[in-house]
Amino acid sequence: MASAILASLFHPSEVLALVQYKLAPKTKYDYSKDKMRERLYHHLNMTSRSFAAVIQDLDEELKDAICLFYLVLRGLDTIEDDMTIELDTKIPYLKTFHEIIYQKGWTFTKNGPNEKDRQLLVEFDVVIEGFLKLKPAYQTIIADITERMGNGMAHYATAGIHVETIADYDEYCHYVAGLVGLGLSEMFSACGFESPLVAKRKDLSNSMGLFLQKTNITRDYLEDLRDNRRFWPKEIWGLYAEKMEDLVKPENCDKAKECLSHMVWNAMGHMKDVLEYLEMIKNPSCFKFCAIPQVMAIATLNMLHTNYKIFTHENIKIRKGETVWLMKESDNIDKVAAIFRLYARQINNKSNPLDPHFVNIGVACGEIEQICVDKFPGSTAELARLQAGVMAGTSGSVITAAAVVAGAVALKSTFA
Ligand code: IN0
């Protein structure tokens, strides 16, 4: 907490959000009366940190179904991710995972000792038990998406198959993330919280997943390369280097930055769809659940843009304070549109006029701005409010002083 406050010292709205977060009651949910749910939410908290809180704030009708959807997919992902499992062993598990989730008592211990969510699969019988208690309609949605995703993962795990073209890149991201959007939209419509139109707009649901996944893939260049995984499409990196790993060589620094802005621009192509999707979501808890990962993605893209560090450092992240602030602010479409505008402007301001994607990125930022002005006029006042908070950090205003005092109080309680 103390280091998070220090990192956000020049961002008073973040300090305030951190302090509020710190002071909020820790035990919001009590699962002690139901041992199975206690284990399930324990696993959720172990795997996803801040996102676990967002799932737990969903309305009761959807909370367990989405928690289990998340854990089932995380189980599948933990098999796909593990490069210590031989392909001959891995592929059949990926292809049959949608049947495995109906097998009471099934567990998996073949993950390597360093696989971070290994324990989830070691205790996967609890996930299956929870899954079998869901309404059949939710079970069917989860099993269908798991089957399609498992087959897609199996295809891309096959030796010799790589992400070559931009169409492959979109297809791979569709399997691992776009399908999640389709499944969630079906759940939102099936429970009656959202209109049937939400499930019908598969294009928009897909874009929700693609925007998140492409941001992750762009950020994780170095980590994936270290593990011998390559998700950047050759159609993009091939314009800047002979081999994908050449981008890290210091002599290729300029080409690497050009390649990075190409990847950032490609991801930004989904932002219009994201806003259109979020505009459809009416239930407040579904809205926050959907909006938070998206605003975190645009904040992450802003951090990645023109940032050579992604070729030299693993695990670069937005500040904890920024995360907590975004979680607090993302509760209606005007505020989310204002956040999109704020980051689109920051991205545009950082662009280098010598970069070959300078104009493309500028146009993408301008389009976001235009859509928000036309469709979400309330975002203008929200943007002014957000900017007042952001600016206060550099102008030494009263808000800064107040936030620093608040920060000091929090620091004191940390060390007390
Ligand atoms: C997700 C998505 C997610 C949430 C809400 C709506 C969505 C619509 C379409 C597609 C995905 C949607 O969100 C999570 C967010 C997440 O896990 N974040 C990180 C970061 C953090 O610091 O908290 C985390 O570790 O918690 C997400 O990234 N994915 C996901 C998985 C399952 C479900 Cl049910 C929802 C993963 C992915 C690959 C992007 C789909």
Side-chain angles (χ1 to χ4, degrees), residues 91-383:
I91 289 177
Y93 279 111
L94 297 177
K95 287 186 173 172
T96 60
F97 208 69
H98 65 288
E99 291 165 0
I100 288 175
I101 53 180
Y102 286 95
Q103 291 170 24
K104 265 191 194 149
W106 184 91
T107 58
F108 184 85
T109 51
K110 292 179 189 164
N111 277 122
N114 296 329
E115 198 57 37
K116 70 178 183 318
D117 295 322
R118 184 180 196 285
Q119 197 58 25
L120 172 66
L121 284 167
V122 170
E123 295 179 42
F124 209 69
D125 49 339
V126 193
V127 176
I128 296 175
E129 194 186 334
F131 171 76
L132 292 172
K133 288 211 168 99
L134 292 177
K135 287 183 183 164
Y138 298 138
Q139 289 182 16
T140 307
I141 295 168
I142 295 174
D144 170 56
I145 298 298
T146 305
E147 177 173 12
R148 294 161 67 185
M149 187 183 294
N151 283 314
M153 284 174 163
H155 173 78
Y156 278 97
T158 307
I161 295 184
H162 301 292
V163 179
E164 296 282 336
T165 63
I166 294 174
D168 291 345
Y169 184 43
D170 284 5
E171 185 188 64
Y172 175 73
C173 292
H174 165 73
Y175 285 131
V176 301
L179 284 171
V180 179
L182 267 62
L184 288 169
S185 296
E186 280 185 33
M187 286 188 182
F188 297 157
S189 295
C191 71
F193 285 178
E194 302 298 339
S195 124
L197 192 66
V198 172
K200 279 208 192 95
R201 291 303 304 268
K202 296 191 197 320
D203 54 335
L204 301 181
S205 307
N206 188 52
S207 289
M208 290 284 287
L210 261 61
F211 185 55
L212 301 183
Q213 187 63 9
K214 287 184 172 184
T215 303
N216 291 343
I217 287 177
T218 306
R219 180 197 60 197
D220 295 339
Y221 168 88
L222 206 55
E223 184 186 330
D224 286 337
L225 194 65
R226 192 225 319 130
D227 296 339
N228 205 18
R229 279 189 297 252
R230 288 144 207 263
F231 300 118
W232 286 29
K234 188 174 180 197
E235 190 177 338
I236 294 183
W237 63 255
L239 298 171
Y240 309 94
E242 283 287 313
K243 290 191 256 120
M244 188 170 136
E245 51 272 37
D246 288 350
L247 292 172
V248 298
K249 295 183 179 164
E251 64 269 29
N252 296 336
C253 166
D254 290 338
K255 285 286 160 201
K257 281 195 271 189
E258 290 178 16
C259 186
L260 174 61
S261 44
H262 199 150
M263 291 293 287
V264 167
W265 173 57
N266 178 284
M268 289 183 77
H270 301 285
M271 288 170 61
K272 286 190 259 179
D273 280 0
V274 167
L275 283 169
E276 197 176 343
Y277 182 91
L278 292 175
E279 191 187 4
M280 291 194 294
I281 303 299
K282 302 296 174 218
N283 174 282
S285 80
C286 291
F287 183 87
K288 277 202 96 165
F289 169 77
C290 289
I292 289 171
Q294 303 296 333
V295 294
M296 285 178 58
I298 188 172
T300 303
L301 270 191
N302 174 43
M303 180 199 66
L304 299 177
H305 184 45
T306 70
N307 187 352
Y308 184 67
K309 263 197 181 157
I310 77 129
F311 298 104
T312 58
H313 293 75
E314 286 183 25
N315 213 9
I316 52 169
K317 282 201 186 119
I318 56 172
R319 292 177 300 276
K320 172 86 180 160
E322 200 168 0
T323 299
V324 176
W325 174 72
L326 288 168
M327 291 175 75
K328 184 176 86 141
E329 293 289 348
S330 304
D331 53 6
N332 69 51
I333 190 71
D334 284 337
K335 285 159 102 178
V336 168
I339 293 170
F340 269 53
R341 289 171 71 177
L342 182 77
Y343 284 109
R345 288 177 185 191
Q346 288 187 20
I347 289 173
N348 199 31
N349 289 342
K350 281 201 292 183
S351 274
N352 173 1
L354 298 176
D355 184 287
H357 295 93
F358 176 74
V359 176
N360 289 334
I361 291 179
V363 169
C365 293
E367 280 175 356
I368 296 301
E369 187 88 32
Q370 186 70 60
I371 291 171
C372 293
V373 168
D374 291 347
K375 289 174 65 174
F376 315 113
S379 67
T380 302
E382 292 296 349
L383 181 60

Side-chain angles (χ1 to χ4, degrees), residues 31-152:
Y31 303 109
S32 60
K33 287 195 194 76
D34 183 339
K35 291 295 158 206
M36 183 195 74
R37 284 184 98 212
E38 195 171 38
R39 282 316 289 160
L40 287 176
Y41 286 94
H42 162 78
H43 282 297
L44 181 70
N45 279 300
M46 293 303 289
T47 51
S48 87
R49 303 172 305 273
S50 51
F51 191 54
V54 184
I55 293 184
Q56 291 177 92
D57 279 341
L58 280 162
D59 288 357
E60 282 302 317
E61 172 61 30
L62 279 180
K63 185 172 155 175
D64 289 352
I66 291 184
C67 170
L68 282 154
F69 190 23
Y70 185 86
L71 292 176
V72 165
L73 298 179
R74 198 71 182 214
L76 181 68
D77 193 53
T78 303
I79 296 177
E80 184 213 31
D81 235 35
D82 192 334
M83 300 309 253
T84 71
I85 304 174
E86 294 289 334
L87 279 188
D88 291 351
T89 311
K90 183 187 280 191
I91 289 177
Y93 279 111
L94 297 177
K95 287 186 173 172
T96 60
F97 208 69
H98 65 288
E99 291 165 0
I100 288 175
I101 53 180
Y102 286 95
Q103 291 170 24
K104 265 191 194 149
W106 184 91
T107 58
F108 184 85
T109 51
K110 292 179 189 164
N111 277 122
N114 296 329
E115 198 57 37
K116 70 178 183 318
D117 295 322
R118 184 180 196 285
Q119 197 58 25
L120 172 66
L121 284 167
V122 170
E123 295 179 42
F124 209 69
D125 49 339
V126 193
V127 176
I128 296 175
E129 194 186 334
F131 171 76
L132 292 172
K133 288 211 168 99
L134 292 177
K135 287 183 183 164
Y138 298 138
Q139 289 182 16
T140 307
I141 295 168
I142 295 174
D144 170 56
I145 298 298
T146 305
E147 177 173 12
R148 294 161 67 185
M149 187 183 294
N151 283 314

